[in-house]
Each structure stands twice: as C-alpha cells, then as structure tokens.
Amino acid sequence: MDCPGDPTHPVPDRLRRPARPTPAHPRPRRPGGRLGGLRDPHPSAYRWATEDAEGEIEALGALTGHPVRHQYKLPSQDDVLPPPDALLVAPLTSNTLAKWATAISDTLALGLITEGIGLGLPTVALPHFNNAQAAHPAIARHVAFLREAGVTVLLGDNGFVPHKPRHGDLDAYPWQAAIDALPA
C-alpha cells in the first residue's frame, strides 16, 4: 500500500491531490451588464476569500466600494455593509440548495441567504448542476420549498437547464436571466 510522504512507497500520479483545492463544480463565466466590471473571467468567492495571492479581495472591495466579508463578524463589530436591495445566489449548487432549503447556515453566505428569506428580501437563485443531480427527489422538493418561501428559482426553460454529467457549457450559463430577474 502506498503511503503519502514515504519515498519507498510513492503515490501514483493519478492518485495525487492537486497542489491547490479545486471547487466541486465549474465556475460559470462572468456576466455582462451590471456585473461586467469583474476582472476575473471565472469569479469565485472561494478564490477571493482563500487564495488572495494577487490582491483579489482588495480588487473586489474596490469594485463594490465596500469591504469583503467571507466570515461571520463578531457581535461587538460594527456592520459596515449597507443593507441589500436584493440577493442573487449563483451558481447555486445542489449542496447549497439543500442546505439553504433546510436552513443550515454553516457559512456566512448561507446565513445571509437564509436570513434574506425571513427579511423578505427579493432573492433570485440560478442553479448550476447536472441532470443526474437534478433527478434526485430532494432537488424538486427543495426548489418548491424555496419558491413557496418567495425565492425566484430560475430552473427550467426560463433559467438554467441541467446538463448531462461532465457536459456543462460554461458559455451557456444564463447569467443574464438572473440579472434580469432582479428588481430594478
């Protein structure tokens, strides 16, 4: 049996982990319109929050005019962000969908979107998962639950249509549909 770190038992290349973490889903390409100023063609809060080697957190802060938060603040800290007019949740993975629909708030992003329902904030969700994941019975229940709670879930003909596993087309991700669904 191969043992990592043991030169007498090297791990085969096919089993090596990549040098840096990779997301479980592909990053959809950036939208045009109101969000077109993003510098990175594959925006990812994960990268901005954890791999800030090139100053991306500062760049995102400059773009929005506000500090970037990716962790909960302490109760003693002031909330320096203005209240949102609306929320856009994209790309919404099946994992985030399941957590959100069951009120699991184990990250700041999930906490904010869960709270958004209770605050009555206009919320648009644009999924991104394959049709094998979409076929799971819990997906339809979670989508229906969020829609009943007032969330605009763009899944189907007027939004995201799930693709076959490993056949996603990032250029076809319907960012504009999500942007158009936000209140003016």
Side-chain angles (χ1 to χ4, degrees):
M1 176 149 98
D2 292 340
C3 299
D6 180 353
T8 62
H9 295 91
V11 176
D13 286 340
R14 64 182 175 75
L15 297 179
R16 291 186 190 276
R17 290 186 180 166
R20 61 178 216 161
T22 56
H25 60 282
R27 293 194 238 346
R29 297 195 188 282
R30 72 182 163 130
R34 290 187 269 177
L35 302 179
L38 294 173
R39 294 181 338 170
D40 187 339
H42 303 289
S44 164
Y46 170 81
R47 277 218 359 251
W48 286 325
T50 63
E51 299 175 13
D52 186 34
E54 299 177 29
E56 290 297 316
I57 289 178
E58 290 80 9
L60 182 60
L63 175 68
T64 64
H66 301 289
V68 176
R69 286 186 39 212
H70 57 91
Q71 294 178 333
Y72 285 103
K73 68 178 185 63
L74 296 174
S76 61
Q77 295 174 318
D78 290 333
D79 193 352
V80 297
L81 299 176
D85 297 319
L87 298 172
L88 172 58
V89 184
L92 176 65
T93 64
S94 59
N95 183 61
T96 300
L97 171 66
K99 286 184 173 188
W100 186 16
T102 56
I104 295 173
S105 300
D106 59 355
T107 66
L108 177 61
L110 280 163
L112 293 174
I113 61 177
T114 299
E115 186 177 72
I117 290 173
L119 293 172
L121 288 172
T123 304
V124 175
L126 184 61
H128 189 271
F129 40 74
N130 65 49
N131 59 9
Q133 292 170 314
H136 191 286
I139 296 294
R141 287 194 300 270
H142 293 322
V143 168
F145 182 84
L146 289 175
R147 285 177 173 159
E148 289 170 17
V151 175
T152 300
V153 181
L154 301 174
L155 181 61
D157 293 336
N158 295 324
F160 178 75
V161 177
H163 50 79
K164 292 193 298 188
R166 292 175 288 286
H167 286 87
D169 179 3
L170 296 179
D171 292 324
Y173 191 69
W175 280 110
Q176 196 60 51
I179 293 168
D180 292 346
L182 289 169

